[in-house]
Amino acid sequence: MTHHDMPASADAAACPLEPTGLWVRATASRPRRHRDGWLFDLQALDPTRSGRLTAFMSADFTQQVEQASGIMLHEEDLVGDHTVLLTLTVDPLLGLTGRIIGLDRGLMLRAWAERDAQVREALDANGLWERQRELPMPRRLRRVFLIEPDDGAPHAIGDGLARWNELGMIALIRHPLAFEEPGAVAALHSAFDAANDQFDWGTLDAVIVEPGTGFAFRALSDPGLAQRLCEFPVPILTRRTRPVTLLDGLAFRSFDTARDLAALLIEILHRELREADRPRLEAIARELGPAPAAEDRPVNGAALFD
């Protein structure tokens, strides 16, 4: 036996047997209140194994999950097949008990999907869900607002747009923020405030959202933000995250890869070249000759002719 097997004192409430935890795949049933948390029955997925283990999930752990996921957990959320991380304790009343200290992310994914579906249904009922996709394709790409992660890492979309900016092909406004940190929703609202200012000045052709790498990105499914983005007057382009968010569904266009997103931007630039009527401009240049140097041009309101 190890020191983990021995109770600290004769009247100890419990003694941990697996302090680092043990991942268990089981069916959870019979959720019920107990002290400051929940009790569940865990049973092996193999029907030939009849044993059950009582599992306890504390209120503190529940709160941690809710803060990390943005989802309020209910007792029915844990009913069914799950993978949980347990520490084993011996409770004087309950006997051998598993204390839940970790959850497989599948639980959160299902809860997120259900919540997003409800928000999407409400936006669709109000005629907002398709609003972005009804916007016309940009006819030019001269000023772009990029919302990108502030992680300092290279990202293909940001790097490519920065190069175009250096070449004078576009004017790029970069707005870095932390997508998965507390306050991300407020930061996104501030970013779109700045983008909307550019639109009000008449100089914004597209907003690009590059979330970077990560897991949750729940700020991009915030109901209030989603409604605002549905009604945003400028096309929003984004690279899809995994798991998907509401932004992925409501955006003007969303793409699986940075290359796919870049292909659309290049298509817009080619269209701008076609509509610029380059043969006409080249004919004007040939007829008029090179433009005069800056020092040869009239200044200070001087007359063009004597």
Side-chain angles (χ1 to χ4, degrees), residues 171-193:
L172 176 63
I173 303 169
R174 308 183 75 163
H175 193 108
L177 58 84
F179 284 89
E180 294 186 289
E181 295 296 326
V185 173
L188 282 163
H189 275 292
S190 296
F192 278 94
D193 285 341

Side-chain angles (χ1 to χ4, degrees), residues 131-139 205 233 235 252-253 271:
R131 190 74 61 84
Q132 264 282 314
R133 286 185 290 277
E134 292 171 352
L135 293 174
M137 180 68 69
R139 302 180 68 89
D205 300 304
F252 176 76
R253 296 288 188 277
R271 176 179 178 177

